Amino acid sequence: MKKRLIYSCLLVGATFIVGCTKNFETINTNPTKVDAATFPPNFLLAQSQIKFSNSGYDQLLFQSMWSQSLAGTYSYYSNGDKYVYGGSGRGYLERTWNTSYGASTLVDEMKNLIKGKAEFANLDAVGTIMRILILQRVTDAYGDIPFSQEGQAKSGVITPVFDTQQSIYTSMLTQLEAATAALDATKDKPSSDLMYSGNITQWKKLGYSLMLKVAMRLTKVDAATAQKYAEKAYAGGTMSSIDDNAKVKADEANGNSNSDVNALLVKDDYREVRWSNTLISYMQSTADPRVSAVAEISAGTGKAANETYAAGDNTASLQIGMPNGYDQNGGTTDISKAPNYPGTSPANPAVTGDVAAPDGKYSRPRFAVYDDRSRINMLYTYGESELLLAEAASRGWATGSAATHYANALAADMASIAQFSAAGAIPAGSITTYVAAHPLVAATALQQINMEYFVVTSTTFNFNETWANWRRSGFPVLTPVKYAGQFTDGSIPRRNPYPLGLPSTNAANYAAAVALITGGDVFTARVWWDK
């Protein structure tokens, strides 16, 4: 009897267990959980675009100052201007690496999810173009970087090798050629695309325009390859109007604010940023109508006036660019001792200064154009691509008429300012007059083209590109800043040192990469294409 009872109990228990485990997966699966089979891969494209486009603090603090697009005397903005760390430290500088790789891994995951799925052929090609757009910025800043093994942690590659920049550029060009050719407007288009809303024709233009930019980086180290791919890009069809500008609009309401703008709108930051004397003086020397579109002096003088959220005076003749390399410490490098100190500038004698706040009348980016928290992030413009085609043609390559491309670029660069805000719109008549008065001259073509590249990338806040093209072309001709405690030898930085964490997280590959750098892992070393 006792045995029978025990058996009965066991049978009931077993029946209960079987009943519980029969539909175990169904019962214990969260119906709201998304897995690889159900996750929408298009979502990752949009996420990579906003992440990459919105990494502004690094270029605002450092690259903009190194290329002398901007200048600063206050706090941590002043440090990048003078090649010292100070309060800005290495953390901000490492955003070029961290944020860009964060964006590229989103693309990698998207491409993993759609691998082998024919219906996502266009999305896969777009992903390749997007990945190269992102990683070109990283290799341009650092040199040799993880590229071929980047984004493979899920496959067990957690210490990727550093590919040489030469091999990276070779791979970028071949990948761009294949991906751009594969785009097919008759097939499904990306459904979550912040740049072109899935327009395949525009993605194809971007693919060829990016091929052009990658190719032109090689002019000093491999002119034959540069010519080959520049000509292929032109034949394929690059951007054809400012409607093709590669840009991402931030969205403050949904948490995707513009980091450049967020910095500028904080009252302790906005007063720290000024257009440089290098930029404003050059634009004034050519009577560039963009001066009044992008620059203003504050309505009042001093700290309080600059912290007030109020429009300033954008009269072109009153604008004064701030010289780089000054501070407000009262010593020999105090801004009051700068050549263009307000009130003593020979070019602008009508402007009165304020001894208590000597930066009060230097030109800042206009509130009406650059202050919107939902402002666009400009990544690559039609005007830039036209300038690169103009340079290629000036070198004798089969990329059309250099003079025509240059004229197209001037008009496009001026018209593009209005894409930030209608307040930056320049009258069509003024643009036409300026373009007619400034034709390309064969004897000075490279200087004209690259000085305009300096202006357009500066005024569209694409300072990483300003810095890269300065290193490639040598324009503008810059005078380095001399200041105590610099992290260079007094020369302008030519690369970013690798992030501080790499020696502990990827020691062997980091050491191998550093061993190949002439001069070591320092700011003054040069990347492969920067000869």
Side-chain angles (χ1 to χ4, degrees), residues 182-432:
L183 288 168
D184 186 343
T186 67
K187 296 180 179 179
D188 287 349
K189 64 181 184 179
S191 60
S192 183
D193 172 17
L194 303 181
M195 288 165 58
Y196 295 125
S197 299
N199 188 310
I200 297 302
T201 299
Q202 288 183 300
W203 272 104
K204 190 175 283 284
K205 291 178 184 179
L206 176 61
Y208 284 120
S209 296
L210 186 56
M211 181 191 294
L212 171 67
K213 185 168 74 168
V214 172
M216 294 302 287
R217 283 285 199 273
L218 308 183
T219 52
K220 292 193 293 187
V221 290
D222 190 350
T225 298
Q227 178 178 357
K228 172 184 174 181
Y229 281 97
E231 291 177 348
K232 283 187 176 186
Y234 177 67
T238 54
M239 297 179 188
S240 56
S241 77
I242 66 170
D243 292 337
D244 297 327
N245 287 349
K247 59 188 183 297
V248 176
K249 184 174 176 59
D251 183 2
E252 177 71 14
N254 292 306
N256 292 324
S257 59
N258 180 293
S259 61
D260 281 341
V261 170
N262 281 347
L264 295 180
L265 283 179
V266 176
K267 69 178 183 178
D268 283 342
D269 284 357
Y270 199 98
R271 59 183 168 82
E272 298 169 1
V273 177
R274 293 289 178 271
W275 290 120
S276 75
N277 179 58
T278 304
L279 179 68
I280 293 298
S281 293
Y282 174 73
M283 294 174 73
Q284 287 175 329
S285 73
T286 64
D288 194 321
R290 280 171 292 187
V291 172
S292 58
V294 303
E296 68 183 8
I297 52 176
S298 60
T301 57
K303 179 176 180 290
N306 282 298
E307 290 180 345
T308 301
Y309 190 78
D313 188 338
N314 66 325
T315 303
S317 62
L318 300 182
Q319 304 310 311
I320 303 176
M322 177 178 280
N324 293 85
Y326 291 87
D327 56 38
Q328 296 204 27
N329 298 331
T332 58
T333 53
D334 191 87
I335 189 64
S336 64
K337 299 178 176 62
N340 278 347
Y341 174 59
T344 62
S345 168
N348 300 286
V351 179
T352 57
D354 182 340
V355 176
D359 73 323
K361 291 299 183 183
Y362 284 111
S363 300
R364 67 188 182 196
R366 281 185 68 200
F367 276 124
V369 175
Y370 297 106
D371 71 347
D372 184 2
R373 285 181 184 264
S374 295
R375 179 176 69 80
I376 63 170
N377 296 292
M378 200 75 81
L379 301 176
Y380 189 17
T381 67
Y382 161 59
E384 290 170 54
S385 69
E386 285 293 283
L387 288 169
L388 293 173
L389 288 173
E391 179 175 334
S394 294
R395 293 174 179 272
W397 303 348
T399 58
S401 164
T404 299
H405 287 308
Y406 182 69
N408 290 344
L410 288 181
D413 295 345
M414 294 183 183
S416 290
I417 302 299
Q419 291 187 337
F420 288 92
S421 167
I426 299 170
S430 298
I431 294 176
T432 300

Side-chain angles (χ1 to χ4, degrees), residues 6 123 127 149 189 293 332 344 389 450 453-454 480 486 488 500:
I6 292 172
L123 183 61
Q149 293 185 347
K189 64 181 184 179
T332 58
T344 62
L389 288 173
N450 286 290
Y453 206 93
F454 169 61
Q486 292 179 308
T488 73
L500 291 173

